[in-house]
Amino acid sequence: MSPTVTRIRIVSLILSWLCLIAIICELCFVPLIWLTPDFARDAVSYSDSLVPIPLNDLQSLAGVQLAVVFITLMVPSLVLVFGLWHLRKMFLCFARNAIFEHGTIRHLKIFSIALLSQTLLSPLAGTLTSLFVTITRPEGERAISIGLSNIEATSLFLGGLFLIISWVLGEAVSLHDENRSFV
């Protein structure tokens, strides 16, 4: 086995574990906002894009309103978790030396579609969250906020890039398989 292949396998194993850690963090972030107010306050003060509405409004919710907002915030996270799971599976395929196979490339394609979907769902979820949080307020105090950031633009381009790369790699593997069948 060449030194490059060995490095690919080692780095892929490390990245597969990092994907698993990212999955756990992604699944835990939204629940932590409600369970630990100090964590939520620090996260919101660090970046306004993490939580699309004021923290006091978010933590004052109860009942059905709380459940609807929680589910709305979790949808983009769950889509990203699905994508990260496939990215992890792709890295595990690389670690097993299954680099140019249709299954491995399919994992990259699924990850890229999930990244694109999550990027498009995040601003929508933020808008719906602001609506659901303020819907019980008196008329004139209700609000809908729409937020887009450079992170969303970057994620869209990266998701598109990964999708194109997966298509190109899929075609390359198909051509390789076809050429091998002629010999």
Side-chain angles (χ1 to χ4, degrees):
M1 188 176 322
S2 76
T4 302
V5 172
T6 302
R7 282 192 296 267
I8 289 171
R9 294 178 78 179
I10 291 169
V11 171
S12 293
L13 273 175
I14 292 168
L15 290 173
S16 74
W17 282 103
L18 289 175
C19 283
L20 185 59
I21 292 167
I23 289 168
I24 293 167
C25 290
E26 189 68 30
L27 286 174
C28 293
F29 180 75
V30 174
L32 281 174
I33 291 173
W34 278 283
L35 298 176
T36 55
D38 291 337
F39 171 79
R41 186 187 63 248
D42 294 343
V44 170
S45 65
Y46 173 72
S47 171
D48 291 335
S49 66
L50 292 176
V51 180
I53 58 170
L55 185 60
N56 293 338
D57 290 346
L58 201 59
Q59 291 177 332
S60 67
L61 300 175
V64 174
Q65 193 178 15
L66 173 66
V68 169
V69 168
F70 180 80
I71 291 168
T72 303
L73 287 173
M74 284 301 294
V75 168
S77 292
L78 293 174
V79 170
L80 185 60
V81 163
F82 177 74
L84 287 171
W85 183 254
H86 278 278
L87 187 64
R88 181 175 196 272
K89 289 173 82 170
M90 182 193 74
F91 286 131
L92 290 173
C93 288
F94 288 167
R96 289 191 317 267
N97 207 24
I99 295 173
F100 293 110
E101 294 184 8
H102 287 288
T104 306
I105 294 164
R106 185 178 64 83
H107 292 307
L108 178 60
K109 187 180 292 184
I110 292 170
F111 167 73
S112 64
I113 292 169
L115 180 61
L116 286 167
S117 300
Q118 186 269 344
T119 302
L120 296 172
L121 285 171
S122 288
L124 178 63
T127 301
L128 289 174
T129 299
S130 68
L131 173 69
F132 295 145
V133 166
T134 62
I135 200 156
T136 58
R137 292 183 182 168
E139 196 169 317
E141 292 183 29
R142 298 177 190 149
I144 294 180
S145 66
I146 300 171
L148 298 172
S149 71
N150 289 339
I151 293 172
E152 278 97 9
T154 302
S155 292
L156 280 174
F157 285 114
L158 285 175
L161 172 69
F162 292 144
L163 185 60
I164 295 296
I165 289 172
S166 69
W167 284 339
V168 169
L169 288 174
E171 282 300 309
V173 170
S174 293
L175 288 172
H176 175 70
D177 291 346
E178 186 179 316
N179 287 340
R180 200 172 14 170
S181 69
F182 289 135
V183 174

mmCIF file of all heavy atoms in Angstrom, residues 130-131 134-144:
data_model
loop_
_atom_site.group_PDB
_atom_site.id
_atom_site.type_symbol
_atom_site.label_atom_id
_atom_site.label_comp_id
_atom_site.label_asym_id
_atom_site.label_seq_id
_atom_site.Cartn_x
_atom_site.Cartn_y
_atom_site.Cartn_z
ATOM 1 N N SER A 130 -39.693 33.261 13.998
ATOM 2 C CA SER A 130 -40.094 34.607 14.427
ATOM 3 C C SER A 130 -41.610 34.777 14.357
ATOM 4 O O SER A 130 -42.212 35.416 15.225
ATOM 5 C CB SER A 130 -39.384 35.672 13.597
ATOM 6 O OG SER A 130 -39.828 35.664 12.257
ATOM 7 N N LEU A 131 -42.236 34.175 13.356
ATOM 8 C CA LEU A 131 -43.697 34.229 13.247
ATOM 9 C C LEU A 131 -44.358 33.483 14.404
ATOM 10 O O LEU A 131 -45.254 34.007 15.066
ATOM 11 C CB LEU A 131 -44.150 33.626 11.912
ATOM 12 C CG LEU A 131 -45.654 33.452 11.736
ATOM 13 C CD1 LEU A 131 -46.340 34.809 11.606
ATOM 14 C CD2 LEU A 131 -45.946 32.582 10.534
ATOM 15 N N THR A 134 -44.052 35.267 17.873
ATOM 16 C CA THR A 134 -44.805 36.515 18.072
ATOM 17 C C THR A 134 -46.282 36.405 17.713
ATOM 18 O O THR A 134 -47.009 37.382 17.871
ATOM 19 C CB THR A 134 -44.169 37.650 17.240
ATOM 20 O OG1 THR A 134 -44.243 37.323 15.855
ATOM 21 C CG2 THR A 134 -42.735 37.894 17.656
ATOM 22 N N ILE A 135 -46.744 35.248 17.294
ATOM 23 C CA ILE A 135 -48.124 35.121 16.812
ATOM 24 C C ILE A 135 -49.161 35.355 17.919
ATOM 25 O O ILE A 135 -50.277 35.790 17.645
ATOM 26 C CB ILE A 135 -48.346 33.766 16.119
ATOM 27 C CG1 ILE A 135 -49.561 33.849 15.215
ATOM 28 C CG2 ILE A 135 -48.458 32.640 17.127
ATOM 29 C CD1 ILE A 135 -49.553 32.851 14.104
ATOM 30 N N THR A 136 -48.804 35.101 19.170
ATOM 31 C CA THR A 136 -49.753 35.290 20.272
ATOM 32 C C THR A 136 -49.746 36.719 20.813
ATOM 33 O O THR A 136 -50.548 37.039 21.685
ATOM 34 C CB THR A 136 -49.445 34.317 21.423
ATOM 35 O OG1 THR A 136 -48.101 34.535 21.864
ATOM 36 C CG2 THR A 136 -49.624 32.872 20.975
ATOM 37 N N ARG A 137 -48.877 37.546 20.318
ATOM 38 C CA ARG A 137 -48.829 38.939 20.762
ATOM 39 C C ARG A 137 -49.986 39.735 20.163
ATOM 40 O O ARG A 137 -50.553 39.354 19.145
ATOM 41 C CB ARG A 137 -47.504 39.581 20.333
ATOM 42 C CG ARG A 137 -46.317 39.012 21.052
ATOM 43 C CD ARG A 137 -45.082 39.742 20.642
ATOM 44 N NE ARG A 137 -43.923 39.154 21.298
ATOM 45 C CZ ARG A 137 -42.685 39.432 20.969
ATOM 46 N NH1 ARG A 137 -42.436 40.306 20.006
ATOM 47 N NH2 ARG A 137 -41.690 38.873 21.612
ATOM 48 N N PRO A 138 -50.292 40.869 20.779
ATOM 49 C CA PRO A 138 -51.354 41.719 20.217
ATOM 50 C C PRO A 138 -50.951 42.258 18.842
ATOM 51 O O PRO A 138 -49.763 42.348 18.518
ATOM 52 C CB PRO A 138 -51.475 42.863 21.218
ATOM 53 C CG PRO A 138 -50.640 42.514 22.386
ATOM 54 C CD PRO A 138 -49.755 41.385 22.022
ATOM 55 N N GLU A 139 -51.955 42.618 18.064
ATOM 56 C CA GLU A 139 -51.701 43.164 16.735
ATOM 57 C C GLU A 139 -50.802 44.395 16.864
ATOM 58 O O GLU A 139 -50.961 45.218 17.744
ATOM 59 C CB GLU A 139 -53.025 43.546 16.073
ATOM 60 C CG GLU A 139 -52.893 43.749 14.589
ATOM 61 C CD GLU A 139 -54.255 43.872 13.928
ATOM 62 O OE1 GLU A 139 -55.157 43.100 14.276
ATOM 63 O OE2 GLU A 139 -54.367 44.735 13.050
ATOM 64 N N GLY A 140 -49.842 44.488 15.980
ATOM 65 C CA GLY A 140 -48.879 45.585 16.014
ATOM 66 C C GLY A 140 -47.563 45.197 16.681
ATOM 67 O O GLY A 140 -46.549 45.850 16.497
ATOM 68 N N GLU A 141 -47.576 44.118 17.476
ATOM 69 C CA GLU A 141 -46.344 43.642 18.125
ATOM 70 C C GLU A 141 -45.837 42.350 17.491
ATOM 71 O O GLU A 141 -44.826 41.816 17.912
ATOM 72 C CB GLU A 141 -46.596 43.406 19.622
ATOM 73 C CG GLU A 141 -46.840 44.672 20.398
ATOM 74 C CD GLU A 141 -47.014 44.386 21.886
ATOM 75 O OE1 GLU A 141 -46.443 43.393 22.376
ATOM 76 O OE2 GLU A 141 -47.707 45.164 22.551
ATOM 77 N N ARG A 142 -46.573 41.867 16.515
ATOM 78 C CA ARG A 142 -46.139 40.661 15.813
ATOM 79 C C ARG A 142 -45.039 41.019 14.827
ATOM 80 O O ARG A 142 -45.005 42.127 14.310
ATOM 81 C CB ARG A 142 -47.315 40.025 15.082
ATOM 82 C CG ARG A 142 -48.409 39.588 16.019
ATOM 83 C CD ARG A 142 -49.579 39.034 15.273
ATOM 84 N NE ARG A 142 -50.694 38.862 16.207
ATOM 85 C CZ ARG A 142 -51.943 38.977 15.874
ATOM 86 N NH1 ARG A 142 -52.282 39.251 14.619
ATOM 87 N NH2 ARG A 142 -52.879 38.816 16.769
ATOM 88 N N ALA A 143 -44.178 40.041 14.559
ATOM 89 C CA ALA A 143 -43.055 40.332 13.663
ATOM 90 C C ALA A 143 -42.661 39.092 12.874
ATOM 91 O O ALA A 143 -42.830 37.967 13.333
ATOM 92 C CB ALA A 143 -41.861 40.815 14.469
ATOM 93 N N ILE A 144 -42.156 39.359 11.694
ATOM 94 C CA ILE A 144 -41.529 38.317 10.876
ATOM 95 C C ILE A 144 -40.164 38.865 10.491
ATOM 96 O O ILE A 144 -40.058 39.944 9.929
ATOM 97 C CB ILE A 144 -42.346 38.008 9.604
ATOM 98 C CG1 ILE A 144 -43.681 37.387 9.969
ATOM 99 C CG2 ILE A 144 -41.557 37.074 8.700
ATOM 100 C CD1 ILE A 144 -44.543 37.061 8.767
#
